[in-house]
Amino acid sequence: MPGRILILTSAGDLHSYAVAEALRRKGGDPILWHMTDFPSRSGEALLFDENLGSLYVEGLDVDLSASSIKSVWRRRPAHVVDETALHPADREFVQLECAVFRRSLLPVIFQDAFWVNPPDAAVSAGRKIVQQKLAIEIGLKTPATIFTNDPRRLREFMARHGGKIVYKTFQAAAWQNAEERWFSFTAQLTESDLVEDHLLRATPGIYQAVVPKDHEIRLTVLGDHAFAVKVVSSELDWRTSGHSLRLEPVELQPSVEALCKALLKRLGLVFGCIDLIVTPDGDHVFLEVNEMGQFLFLEQTTGLPLVDAMAEFLLQGRTDFDWNRGRSCLRFEDVAKAAEEQAEEALRQHVAPSSPNHREEADAGSE
């Protein structure tokens, strides 16, 4: 009998409902913990009283007090504070306490379960400086990069690389005022694009040399299995390509795949989405790892059976899970209608994330 699978999610996250539905159809018993209900609609407690600790979560549709969990999918852990119920002077304190509570809670619960991904490793792996350092150490090629808020060193770096560089943020961000909404995307900069020195100093950023691009590769790794997709886009950041984006399955060089898997192992991850540039000369240049990246769009476009693979990964609870993409698999299209209905119902019943990028580690101040 398959064990119970706990999915840490935010209301409306379609990936969570698609995989949960696939798990049910395979005989699994998924539990969705809508973590955005905390703190306004759910009570959470970890009690240490003559034992190693008892977890109690009491929310709209989850009770984990007596659950035996085989695998945990750390999909979208987040919390949402109702700031309208607080005095403005108290909001920062409440946000910090909620973030630290959650950041401390996750690594000590269900320690015998198989985690995708382990909480401490996931937070550390999200730090771009850590990623690049380890990528270089294991032998992956990376762009020349400076992480800085020093205007002089930034301008020197730009001059060394032909007066044209790439800017990235440390984490995806979205913000708004009453009239407009902004999202952070990768951008190309020249000297004329740089703001005044006091503003450059106020906000550190990631600045990289421009890498000539033939195409990109998105590599999705689940344990020992890897799925490579060729990404063809004329845009610097392919997320802005719209309908011109082309995706197709591709065979990645075994040596490059091995290095990517080695990087995930060094980061302590069992799942990750890795972005690579392939230059006109055929070199593979590592850009970044997303420790909980999106994959439904890859299956919908290329037909790669990622929902089925993720469901089996969680059911079997090991990196060397038995799975063959050539066999009959559940497809996203098989579970899409049920998943979409569940997502809509969850948004009616649960607290929605405050933004598309609202994540637990972001609240905790990590990179």
Side-chain angles (χ1 to χ4, degrees):
M1 176 69 179
R4 306 186 82 188
I5 313 300
L6 178 62
I7 300 175
L8 311 183
T9 190
S10 298
D13 176 63
L14 190 60
H15 285 69
S16 302
Y17 307 107
V19 172
E21 183 64 22
L23 286 165
R24 292 187 194 99
R25 297 189 186 193
K26 289 172 175 286
D29 183 13
I31 305 170
L32 280 82
W33 180 357
H34 290 90
M35 303 193 81
T36 43
D37 284 351
F38 175 80
S40 62
R41 293 192 193 172
S42 72
E44 302 176 6
L46 185 65
L47 172 64
F48 292 97
D49 185 10
E50 299 180 357
N51 56 43
L52 290 178
S54 300
L55 174 67
Y56 301 93
V57 178
E58 296 181 358
L60 182 66
D61 57 3
V62 62
D63 182 355
L64 299 175
S65 58
S67 297
S68 176
I69 303 297
K70 179 174 184 178
S71 299
V72 182
W73 186 21
R74 186 186 166 280
R75 168 61 192 164
R76 282 287 185 267
H79 72 267
V80 177
V81 171
D82 180 7
E83 295 191 343
T84 63
L86 301 170
H87 189 282
D90 296 330
R91 291 171 184 170
E92 183 177 356
F93 170 76
V94 172
Q95 287 281 12
L96 181 61
E97 289 295 284
C98 287
V100 174
F101 171 73
R102 272 286 184 74
R103 183 175 56 182
S104 304
L105 176 69
L106 294 186
V108 302
I109 61 175
F110 305 117
Q111 291 183 313
D112 294 331
F114 177 72
W115 281 76
V116 182
N117 279 302
D120 285 342
V123 173
S124 177
R127 296 168 178 155
K128 300 298 193 298
I129 293 175
V130 173
Q131 291 183 14
Q132 185 153 1
K133 177 179 182 293
L134 293 180
I136 292 169
E137 288 179 0
I138 68 167
L140 281 165
K141 295 183 178 180
T142 68
T145 305
I146 185 168
F147 302 85
T148 189
N149 75 324
D150 187 317
R152 178 179 64 82
R153 292 187 181 276
L154 169 57
R155 294 178 192 279
E156 290 174 351
F157 179 82
M158 178 177 280
R160 287 199 303 274
H161 293 282
K164 186 183 296 183
I165 59 174
V166 171
Y167 166 72
K168 299 177 181 178
T169 58
F170 283 94
Q171 66 180 24
W175 63 101
Q176 65 186 50
N177 61 18
E179 294 81 29
E180 296 182 85
R181 187 174 180 85
W182 296 273
F183 296 90
S184 59
F185 292 106
T186 301
Q188 190 167 278
L189 302 178
T190 63
E191 179 71 30
S192 63
D193 296 315
L194 296 181
V195 295
E196 293 87 348
D197 282 4
H198 74 280
L199 294 175
L200 292 173
R201 191 176 295 280
T203 308
I206 304 170
Y207 304 92
Q208 296 183 324
V210 177
V211 177
K213 179 175 73 171
D214 180 78
H215 62 275
E216 294 182 50
I217 286 179
R218 174 82 159 199
L219 182 69
T220 305
V221 180
L222 295 85
D224 293 347
H225 298 272
F227 304 81
V229 172
K230 180 179 180 179
V231 181
V232 181
S233 169
S234 60
E235 301 295 329
L236 182 64
D237 189 325
W238 54 259
R239 294 172 298 173
T240 65
S241 299
H243 295 299
S244 66
L245 181 68
R246 288 192 4 245
L247 303 171
E248 57 191 61
V250 67
E251 290 295 323
L252 186 60
Q253 292 179 12
S255 59
V256 177
E257 181 178 313
L259 287 175
C260 289
K261 288 180 176 178
L263 174 61
L264 290 185
K265 187 173 182 179
R266 286 285 303 274
L267 289 167
L269 303 179
V270 298
F271 169 87
C273 297
I274 297 175
D275 292 319
L276 305 157
I277 283 179
V278 180
T279 70
D281 295 330
D283 288 333
H284 291 71
V285 181
F286 168 81
L287 295 177
E288 65 179 0
V289 177
N290 186 331
E291 60 85 19
M292 201 45 69
Q294 309 284 66
F295 55 82
L296 288 185
F297 77 101
L298 298 174
E299 174 161 343
Q300 290 173 288
T301 306
T302 69
L304 289 173
L306 289 158
V307 168
D308 191 88
M310 177 59 81
E312 285 294 335
F313 192 26
L314 294 168
L315 275 173
Q316 297 181 40
R318 62 180 200 268
T319 55
D320 62 341
F321 65 105
D322 180 21
W323 187 84
N324 186 332
R325 72 179 69 184
R327 73 183 182 189
S328 177
C329 295
L330 274 172
R331 301 286 177 167
F332 173 63
E333 63 187 21
D334 298 324
V335 300
K337 186 174 186 297
E340 289 164 0
E341 291 173 352
Q342 291 164 32
E344 291 174 4
E345 179 63 21
L347 285 171
R348 288 191 289 269
Q349 297 291 331
H350 298 278
V351 178
S354 56
S355 80
N357 303 108
H358 191 93
R359 302 285 297 280
E360 199 69 64
E361 58 269 29
D363 297 333
S366 67
E367 300 163 351

